[in-house]
Amino acid sequence: MPSNGARLHIAIQKSGRLSRYSRELLREAGLRIQSGKNDLTARVDNFPIDLMLVRDDDIPTFVADGVCEFGIVGRNVLEEFALGRKEERFDVIAPLGFGHCALKLAAPRGADYDGAQCLAGQRIATSYPRLLGAWLERQGIEARVVRMSGAVELAPRLGIAGFVCDLVSTGSTLEANNLAPVETVLESEAVLVRTRMPIDEAKQRAADNLLKRIDGVLATQGSKYIMMNAPEDALAEITAILPGVEAPSVIPLAGRPGHFALHAVCQETVFWETLHDLKQAGASAILVLPIEKMMQ
Ligand code: PRP
Ligand code: ZN
């Protein structure tokens, strides 16, 4: 792959479960992604950044080798890769809050299964042989791991294996193949990873900028801006009720002595129960607003 001087490279999944959300996150961080003619890369207009559009399984290699400084990839793919390498050559910077799924063991529906010992001596088909192998070892179970690169869910029907160990997101693939989950090997979601290879100064500046913006996007996930009016003697109680708020802004209301407007950023979800409690404590005219951007 040709390396391009001072441009930062971010590897994301070309097509699949993570690709849309990966692009969305970068867009929310302010990156204007060109829809390029070429299939392998997409240029960012307003930053010295190129996206590499690749298979998710290739992302850990690209980041570990420093071909891409950053990558967005599922923890499942990353950990399977890491188990095959002696030294870690990337750092996980942050979980990204999307792409939630789990690596699960599944059995044909209706099969007898009452615990991991049922797997002893059985054949298990998977594209995650290292994660499965490590899990079996932790359980102290010896089983035959049958490595498949895809269509793992077909293995029992084809007589290749009695069990499968595959990624489950909605569960519809298992269901369509008459399989039922029996054990969870790993919970996963998309994470942002960064190479441990040295990054030159110019790229480092772009990297710092990018990370600050991604931080801003992640910080607003689930957080809300909340406003309300309240009498002075209720302010302490109200502040205590607000989730994840330390120092709200308190603004005097014109023409209403002893009454204030209270504004705050809630870092946690604001539930209807919270609003109810606020009202009980004396708040009125409560408004909860989404936050689009935030920089600390
Ligand atoms: C996984 C897995 C199943 C499917 C499960 O593949 O191999 O095919 O997703 O999803 P469901 O529970 O919503 O039906 P993935 O999207 O990771 O593609 P890949 O393994 O080809 O990279
Ligand atoms: Zn894959």
Side-chain angles (χ1 to χ4, degrees):
M1 195 166 299
S3 82
N4 184 350
R7 293 183 78 78
L8 207 59
H9 294 89
I10 309 174
I12 65 169
Q13 193 184 30
K14 182 181 172 67
S15 62
R17 279 176 309 111
L18 302 184
S19 54
R20 196 182 114 216
Y21 292 106
S22 302
R23 282 167 173 267
E24 229 159 71
L25 171 73
L26 296 174
R27 254 187 230 118
E28 279 175 32
L31 273 59
R32 271 206 316 265
I33 304 166
Q34 277 185 352
S35 45
K37 306 162 203 89
N38 123 19
D39 273 340
L40 187 66
T41 65
R43 211 179 154 85
V44 175
D45 277 348
N46 54 341
F47 276 99
I49 294 176
D50 287 328
L51 305 186
M52 295 288 163
L53 313 174
V54 296
R55 284 180 49 229
D56 60 350
D57 311 66
D58 292 333
I59 294 175
T61 317
F62 282 180
V63 176
D65 295 348
V67 173
C68 293
E69 288 80 9
F70 292 93
I72 295 177
V73 67
R75 205 182 276 286
N76 52 306
V77 171
L78 201 63
E79 298 211 351
E80 177 69 19
F81 173 84
L83 285 174
R85 290 254 182 145
K86 279 202 203 75
E87 45 163 348
E88 289 217 338
R89 289 201 295 174
F90 47 74
D91 292 301
V92 174
I93 298 174
L96 299 174
F98 62 85
H100 290 277
C101 60
L103 184 63
K104 293 194 182 208
L105 271 152
R109 212 176 290 145
D112 280 336
Y113 187 90
D114 52 13
Q117 70 282 354
C118 297
L119 300 165
Q122 298 291 321
R123 296 161 68 87
I124 310 171
T126 190
S127 330
Y128 296 86
R130 299 186 192 113
L131 280 170
L132 173 59
W135 184 86
L136 288 168
E137 208 176 301
R138 288 200 297 279
Q139 308 290 319
I141 286 162
E142 287 200 28
R144 281 279 306 281
V145 175
V146 181
R147 193 199 175 118
M148 287 176 74
S149 55
V152 168
E153 63 276 5
L154 300 180
R157 219 187 305 161
L158 298 173
I160 298 170
F163 294 85
V164 304
C165 174
D166 200 10
L167 218 56
V168 180
S169 163
T170 61
S172 58
T173 303
L174 287 189
E175 205 171 308
N177 289 281
N178 219 21
L179 298 165
V182 293
E183 302 280 356
T184 298
V185 172
L186 180 84
E187 300 276 358
S188 180
E189 70 177 295
V191 296
L192 179 67
V193 284
R194 174 204 187 109
T195 189
R196 281 193 185 166
M197 300 292 266
I199 301 181
D200 73 46
E201 236 173 83
K203 283 189 183 185
Q204 188 59 52
R205 271 197 299 278
D208 291 344
N209 204 342
L210 172 77
L211 291 179
K212 213 179 295 160
R213 280 158 175 257
I214 289 180
D215 262 355
V217 176
L218 297 179
T220 62
Q221 278 179 359
S223 53
K224 295 278 186 272
Y225 195 77
I226 187 163
M227 321 198 284
M228 70 203 75
N229 294 342
E232 187 166 13
D233 58 7
L235 293 176
E237 193 185 343
I238 286 173
T239 304
I241 292 169
L242 287 170
V245 173
E246 273 161 30
S249 309
V250 176
I251 307 146
L253 287 176
R256 289 189 68 193
H259 280 74
F260 294 85
L262 187 148
H263 292 197
V265 173
C266 288
Q267 307 282 7
E268 295 156 35
T269 315
V270 180
F271 295 103
W272 281 107
E273 292 83 72
T274 312
L275 299 191
H276 184 82
D277 293 347
L278 289 169
K279 207 161 162 27
Q280 290 282 310
S284 59
I286 308 170
L287 275 179
V288 180
L289 308 170
I291 296 172
E292 196 182 283
K293 291 187 176 67
M294 191 149 81
M295 191 176 281
Q296 301 286 3

